Amino acid sequence: MNILITGATGYIGSHIALVLIHKGYNVVLYDNLSNSNHNVNTALKIITGKIIPFIHGDIRDTEKLVEILVDYKIDAVVHLAGKKAVNESIQKPIYYYENNVAGSISLLKAIEKVNLKKVVFSSSATVYGNPQYLPIDEKHSTNPTNPYGQSKLQIENILFDYTKSEQNFGVACLRYFNPVGAHQSGLIGENPKGIPNNLMPYICQVATGKLPYLKIFGNDYNTHDGTGVRDYIHVMDIAEGHLAALNLIENTKGWHTINLGSGQGYSVLEVLITFEQTSNKFIPYKIENRRPGDIDICFAKTEKAEKILKWKAKRTLNDMCWSTWNFHLQSFVNNN
Ligand code: NAD
Ligand code: UD1
């Protein structure tokens, strides 16, 4: 099976590429490198021992996409390309809708033109907004609280409508919770530019001495230790979820919304302590004010994924922390 991955050199796309190549899929990588770089292609070549076709392009370029879908006889698209920073989306909403939503429409036009029938889409638990109940299942209402989340929901709606209009079209819409961790090689992982917004990359930068201490955003939440609780999931589990999703849409048509989470919540302090234990690094922290928009607890109900995808996250918080740190150590060695 020939798979086009959009956003392929990004954090999650590169891990999906590895898992699919390992399973014998022919993979074509597509990315405009707005938030990634060519080093990822080199790393993928080292890990797999294969030269994987990479095309530098934008998902808003419909004609280029049509060419690729035809030339490489693509059977399914795994669509990850998009911008993902919540704060940036609040500052630049038009850019987010243009890149994410118009970009996805452009991709769908190409898909329609070549009569392709299978898409796996990277959505986010952020489409649920503030949890009305826990654990969050796929029937939970959707009410995103920022333009990034809105853009994800709009793409979901467009894909859903297209699935209704187009016979034999199959979409697996995967709503990720909090992906963290890295491939065991330490050659690919998450390396955000500038000061990280998310917890795990921030902790790493404290561990490497780039930042002086972790700011814990509030210890007065309604949780067992007062700090926010989230459903962290290893990026390799996420990647394997895509393999299962491709199997699903190979055999079934129509629309499938599926949570990809571990189903388990961990607090900021639990993540911090586990990171300290696995990295053997002391992580200084200070309790600061709550971050606007943050919630107490969020974690997934995972039964649907288990039933429909026959997939379950299997890696532990230890694995997530160790692999994150291993990736940062390797990056440090390679860059110094
Ligand atoms: P990432 O930024 O590392 O990867 C996204 C990739 O898309 C980047 O390599 C970027 O260069 C590329 N890209 C962006 N706009 C493009 C365009 N117009 N044309 C071509 N390429 C473009 O992010 P990630 O963490 O790997 O996330 C991948 C997807 O998963 C995103 O759609 C994101 O919204 C979704 N998601 C991520 C998380 C998370 O926490 N990382 C959670 C839920 C959902
Ligand atoms: C964030 C995004 C969400 C995205 C998700 C993916 C926001 C508001 N939401 O969610 O859209 O889908 O990442 O991973 O950005 N924390 C600290 N100090 C820090 C960073 C975080 O204490 O420096 C705390 C937060 O308050 C939260 C927890 O760590 O309790 C996790 O935060 P983060 O990694 O940013 O993820 P989310 O807020 O769940």
Side-chain angles (χ1 to χ4, degrees), residues 6-13 30-36 57-60 79-84 99-100 122-125 148 152 176-179 190 198:
T6 73
T9 42
Y11 169 45
I12 299 172
Y30 191 82
D31 203 297
N32 68 359
L33 302 180
S34 57
N35 198 34
S36 52
D58 197 293
I59 49 167
R60 289 165 291 183
H79 175 35
L80 297 106
K83 307 300 288 179
K84 60 164 184 179
N99 192 74
N100 293 4
S122 294
S123 192
S124 169
Y148 163 64
K152 286 282 157 191
Y176 315 157
F177 279 67
N178 289 58
E190 187 178 23
N198 298 120

Side-chain angles (χ1 to χ4, degrees), residues 233-234 236-242 244 258-264 300-316:
I233 171 165
H234 198 296
M236 287 302 289
D237 280 325
I238 292 263
E240 287 164 9
H242 288 70
I258 303 166
N259 285 342
L260 291 190
S262 69
Q264 168 100 41
K301 187 159 176 141
T302 57
E303 270 79 355
K304 192 168 175 189
E306 286 168 38
K307 193 169 161 207
I308 296 188
L309 296 181
K310 318 254 178 300
W311 165 94
K312 196 175 171 16
K314 51 182 191 246
R315 294 165 179 87
T316 64

Side-chain angles (χ1 to χ4, degrees), residues 6 43 69 146 218 232:
T6 73
L69 294 177
N146 54 68
Y232 298 96

